[in-house]
Amino acid sequence: MGYYIEVERGVKLYVEDIGEGIPVLMVHGWPLDHRMYEYQAALLPACGYRCIQVDLRGFGKSDRPWHGYNYDRLADDLLAVMQALQLNQVRLIGFSMGGAVVTRYMSRHRGFGVNQLILIGAATPRFTPTSDFPYGTPVTEVDKLIKQAYTDRPQLVTSFGEMLFANPVSQSLRDWLRDQGFAATVHSMACTLYSLRDSDLRADLPCIHVPTWILHGKLDRVCPFPLAVQTQKGIAGSKLIPFERSGHGVFYEALPEFNSILLSILAPSSTP
């Protein structure tokens, strides 16, 4: 079932809500939308989970306001969804930029309603390096992406899709993911790139006090594996699960292994 939830006056997010049982809230990455979790959404309801997928503002079928693309506002949007659906005991999942958004949610809203966190190829704790954080994508490279968003967005989306995987995948799959990027707006893509470039989540990590798993491809070219190592160090008791032969798109590239691990994590008795 798909519907819209108003997260602030005049701004509604699109939500897919499938199945019954333990709620699993899934947040997509840049510049994709809820459809990236298609192969998880086809599995989880059959295993007793309520699979809730949300399109962040400016992406997919959600509204495209001019404002609100920083992590604080995106985290507030998730809170509005949680409250509207009266969710609790939620398994919260975030991929790539979505991993950064759910991390900010856990800090900013003290993990309201969440009892388990899963970060997949997350853009945490920083996407870009600083003098005291030598990991990630150089600021100059992100600036090039922002410029390209305003000058040749189709090529930007296509080029990004080519970085998702470390191994060959079908052209049809690449086209499908590219079409998700095309559903976003120039403005939302550029503004969230600024958020990726400038946000620092190192102080957010110690605020996470629920069981946390970090799933990350060792061959990730978008969010290099050292980011996962630093994220694991910052979240007390968290567990890092590496996928040795996968790149950024581990949710598809290691599909059978990924889904099996995901189900084992979601099991009620699972602990890191």
Side-chain angles (χ1 to χ4, degrees), residues 7 15 73 77 82 102 128 215 225:
V7 294
V15 174
R73 180 63 250 183
D77 288 352
M82 295 271 290
V102 300
T128 55
L215 282 57
F225 190 74

Side-chain angles (χ1 to χ4, degrees), residues 160-192:
F160 177 77
E162 294 170 354
M163 294 182 64
L164 277 176
F165 304 108
N167 301 286
V169 298
S170 71
Q171 185 59 48
S172 296
L173 180 75
R174 292 185 184 278
D175 292 345
W176 175 65
L177 292 169
R178 182 194 62 195
D179 289 345
Q180 292 181 37
F182 287 167
T185 67
V186 172
H187 185 66
S188 60
M189 284 180 60
C191 287
T192 46

